[in-house]
Amino acid sequence: MPLIFFGEKMIPLYSTDQIRKADEFAVKKLGIPSLLLMENAARSLFAIIMNNYPDLNPQDKIGIVCGKGNNGGDGFALARNFMNMGFSVSVIALCPKSELAGDALTNHNILVNLLKYNQDSSFSYYKNLSDLNKLKNCSVIIDAILGTGIKGEIKGKFEKVIDKLNDMEGIKIAIDVPSGLDMNTSTGSTIFFSDLTITLAKQKTALVYGMGFVHSGEVAVGSIGIGAEYFDSLEVDDYLIEPEDVYGVLKLKELDVHKYSSGKVFVIAGSYHYTGAAVLTAEAALKNGAGSVVLAVPESIKPVVSLKLREVVVESYGSANDEFLNASHFNELKERTKWADIIVIGPGLGKNSETVICVHKLLNAAKNKTIIIDADGLNELNLSGIKLKNLILTPHHKEFADLLAISVGELENNLMKISKDFASKHLCYLALKGAPTIIFTPSGEALINSTGNPGMAKFGTGDVLTGTIAAMITNTIEIEDGIISAVYLHSLAADILAEKNTEFGFTATEIMDTIPYAIKFIGQSIL
């Protein structure tokens, strides 16, 4: 039976176009003046900053750099909020007054007038990079430069300003988005490095993957003063995974469960030069929930693998001279694929061309089974010669780019569209490993993981994830829930280890061993 489900499923993520239309809805349908929306935003920004940095006090100087659009207008209004609470503020406008318009101009004028009665704060128009030296003594530097409308790379003045701001000390805060980030693709080479990004109205997709993930720091959501009804009516394809999405779908073990009813996993992995990947994958499947795991390896490496595994059943194919999987081994593996609930193919198989035929035969023979393809198994896929429907692919960016015959740069410059299109076209699940890992579903959704840290970037972590996905699918009703649970818990285990030992101090094996504790940790946190 499933455990109790807590809360709504996942956190919806919105595009900048949807947020822009929310502003229009508030003004045209609700009758809220746009100037009031900007004021609501400024008050919310101030409250969130003070809540996140409670030690800030009027002795701390605040620096705000403003552009000419509404992002700059938010900065002008925020400066006034700080000044009204006794803070000394240094504001630098990157454009002359003649380039300002609308609400940004109104808040600019109010701020300039207020400064006549506040000698501790200052306002200046940017002329050259040396003007930014006025911010050197600031405890906080706030980016109100460009906002969401940027497409492609920024150049000239803005590039130089952002580079210099990034080199300065102090707490860095971005209003709505870090300036320089292309919100359509989450790309950019010159982007403000923020410790805290306060995005307005709702959470935005581009802030939680790609360069947005790298540059946004902690992300908080600020209010513009409209309710949730408008956003509830929108169609959303992107979501951020949260703890409830895992804890709510894991099944309790039945009292009469036995090793074969608790999930049978068949792992086809390993080759003469790559034994470790097979061991980690199989052990992770057994450690994290599967009842019985059988690992098939070439006869030449069975003695080595068997020494490393005690609970996993190790079977071999071929002769002592066979170092890798080839077509002649198909019949030896076929019967075991019928036994399995879940089949894993790939980790450590190697890239020998003769393996391709056998992998394709196995996929065709077991097409009604749940199959996970990882690592070297992805090299054996011929997109024109095999149907991927219902398969689970778990590549990292390089493996996926190779599968598509494109460069990693091409993939990452349009990652969301390319990946969604692939999963939708082939009706498969794509768990694209990275920082963060993103799950793309056959229905065209992107489910973005919210756990993990740089310490995971090492050999073996992907193999552990693959085995954990197999295990979690045996412990959930829906395949999608199993993938979500595995991805989240795998990275949460790494976060627990990083908290204990730093990001430098753990291995893939330790991640595997910590996943059961991560499950317990989630339950305790939610309850």
Side-chain angles (χ1 to χ4, degrees):
M1 64 183 277
L3 297 174
I4 298 172
F5 185 82
F6 296 86
E8 296 182 358
K9 186 177 181 181
M10 303 188 206
I11 299 172
L13 302 170
Y14 297 86
S15 68
T16 55
D17 185 57
Q18 287 175 314
I19 302 299
R20 196 173 295 115
K21 289 178 179 177
D23 288 344
E24 296 175 6
F25 171 81
V27 173
K28 295 179 180 179
K29 300 294 184 181
L30 300 181
I32 301 176
S34 59
L35 187 62
L36 180 57
L37 294 177
M38 189 171 285
E39 186 64 22
N40 290 340
R43 291 181 178 180
S44 180
L45 289 165
F46 178 78
I48 291 171
I49 292 170
M50 296 307 298
N51 182 65
N52 277 263
Y53 301 101
D55 293 335
L56 284 178
N57 60 68
Q59 281 69 50
D60 293 300
K61 189 173 181 180
I62 310 298
I64 305 179
V65 184
C66 300
K68 67 179 181 179
N70 284 341
N71 199 243
D74 292 332
F76 294 138
L78 176 59
R80 174 164 38 83
N81 276 264
F82 271 109
M83 289 168 58
N84 288 341
M85 296 304 295
F87 283 84
S88 172
V89 182
S90 178
V91 179
I92 299 175
L94 295 181
C95 62
K97 179 180 177 179
S98 60
E99 294 184 13
L100 297 172
D103 299 332
L105 177 60
T106 299
N107 272 300
H108 163 277
N109 292 340
I110 295 172
L111 178 62
V112 171
N113 289 332
L114 184 62
L115 280 163
K116 297 175 183 177
Y117 306 95
N118 188 319
Q119 302 301 313
D120 293 329
S121 296
S122 65
F123 180 95
S124 60
Y125 297 104
Y126 175 88
K127 296 183 181 62
N128 54 58
L129 277 178
S130 63
D131 293 329
L132 298 179
N133 292 332
K134 299 171 185 176
L135 307 179
K136 281 189 173 181
N137 295 324
C138 291
S139 300
V140 178
I141 296 175
I142 298 173
D143 161 26
I145 301 172
L146 294 175
T148 61
I150 297 303
K151 294 181 180 180
E153 301 291 341
I154 61 170
K155 300 294 181 184
K157 173 176 67 177
F158 294 115
E159 180 182 20
K160 294 176 182 178
V161 167
I162 291 172
D163 279 340
K164 182 152 186 175
L165 293 178
N166 285 340
D167 288 337
M168 290 184 173
E169 296 182 357
I171 298 167
K172 307 284 178 56
I173 299 173
I175 295 178
D176 207 16
V177 303
S179 287
L181 179 67
D182 186 324
M183 293 295 287
N184 293 314
T185 59
S186 196
T187 57
S189 59
T190 301
I191 304 170
F192 184 78
F193 260 112
S194 185
D195 299 303
L196 170 67
T197 296
I198 307 173
T199 193
L200 297 173
K202 285 290 182 179
Q203 176 66 286
K204 299 175 180 68
T205 300
L207 298 179
V208 295
Y209 83 99
M211 287 296 101
F213 176 77
V214 174
H215 286 262
S216 295
E218 181 183 351
V219 178
V221 179
S223 173
I224 60 172
I226 65 174
E229 292 79 6
Y230 170 81
F231 295 101
D232 291 342
S233 69
L234 299 179
E235 291 187 9
V236 177
D237 294 326
D238 304 334
Y239 295 88
L240 189 66
I241 301 169
E242 56 183 341
E244 289 85 353
D245 304 314
V246 176
Y247 188 76
V249 299
L250 293 178
K251 294 185 296 183
L252 288 173
K253 298 284 188 182
E254 302 289 349
L255 293 178
D256 60 349
V257 70
H258 55 82
K259 60 187 176 183
Y260 295 124
S261 66
S262 189
K264 297 175 289 186
V265 178
F266 182 35
V267 180
I268 304 169
S271 59
Y272 188 78
H273 295 289
Y274 304 105
T275 60
V279 170
L280 285 170
T281 302
E283 193 168 13
L286 193 62
K287 176 84 175 181
N288 294 313
S292 51
V293 178
V294 174
L295 169 62
V297 298
E299 174 63 31
S300 61
I301 66 170
K302 182 181 179 182
V304 175
V305 171
S306 296
L307 285 174
K308 296 178 180 179
L309 294 170
R310 290 176 294 178
E311 293 90 353
V312 173
V313 173
V314 181
E315 296 181 345
S316 63
Y317 53 82
S319 69
N321 295 322
D322 288 325
E323 298 182 355
F324 53 83
L325 182 68
N326 63 55
S328 67
H329 303 137
F330 169 71
N331 288 330
E332 297 179 68
L333 300 170
K334 182 173 60 175
E335 287 304 311
R336 186 58 84 174
T337 63
K338 296 177 183 178
W339 165 86
D341 298 318
I342 298 171
I343 302 168
V344 178
I345 301 175
L349 280 182
K351 300 180 180 181
N352 195 288
S353 59
E354 294 183 37
T355 307
V356 176
I357 297 173
C358 192
V359 169
H360 279 222
K361 282 187 173 183
L362 288 167
L363 292 176
N364 285 321
K367 57 186 175 184
N368 295 322
K369 298 283 186 175
T370 299
I371 304 176
I372 303 169
I373 311 284
D374 182 46
D376 291 333
L378 296 161
N379 297 315
E380 319 306 341
L381 290 181
N382 181 342
L383 294 182
S384 63
I386 195 77
K387 290 185 178 180
L388 304 183
K389 185 178 179 180
N390 298 326
L391 297 187
I392 303 162
L393 277 57
T394 60
H396 53 60
H397 288 202
K398 178 64 165 60
E399 289 167 337
F400 188 42
D402 288 346
L403 183 63
L404 298 175
I406 62 176
S407 69
V408 174
E410 288 176 283
L411 171 64
E412 294 180 346
N413 283 336
N414 205 5
L415 186 143
M416 279 293 184
K417 185 178 187 310
I418 290 173
S419 303
K420 284 182 179 180
D421 287 350
F422 180 91
S424 299
K425 175 183 176 181
H426 295 286
L427 298 177
C428 66
Y429 285 96
L430 173 66
L432 187 59
K433 294 180 290 194
T437 293
I438 306 175
I439 302 163
F440 297 93
T441 72
S443 60
E445 293 179 328
L447 316 177
I448 303 176
N449 191 34
S450 57
T451 53
N453 62 76
M456 301 176 72
K458 60 186 63 170
F459 283 155
T461 56
D463 304 313
V464 169
L465 175 60
T466 300
T468 304
I469 291 173
M472 289 298 161
I473 291 174
T474 69
N475 285 284
T476 52
I477 296 172
E478 301 292 336
I479 289 175
E480 185 172 305
D481 291 332
I483 302 170
I484 291 169
S485 299
V487 168
Y488 187 92
L489 289 167
H490 176 256
S491 293
L492 176 61
D495 286 344
I496 292 170
L497 289 166
E499 183 70 21
K500 179 182 178 181
N501 300 324
T502 79
E503 295 172 351
F504 296 94
F506 60 87
T507 64
T509 299
E510 289 173 302
I511 292 175
M512 174 178 63
D513 292 340
T514 306
I515 289 173
Y517 176 73
I519 297 172
K520 184 177 181 180
F521 178 84
I522 286 181
Q524 292 173 336
S525 299
I526 292 175
L527 297 176

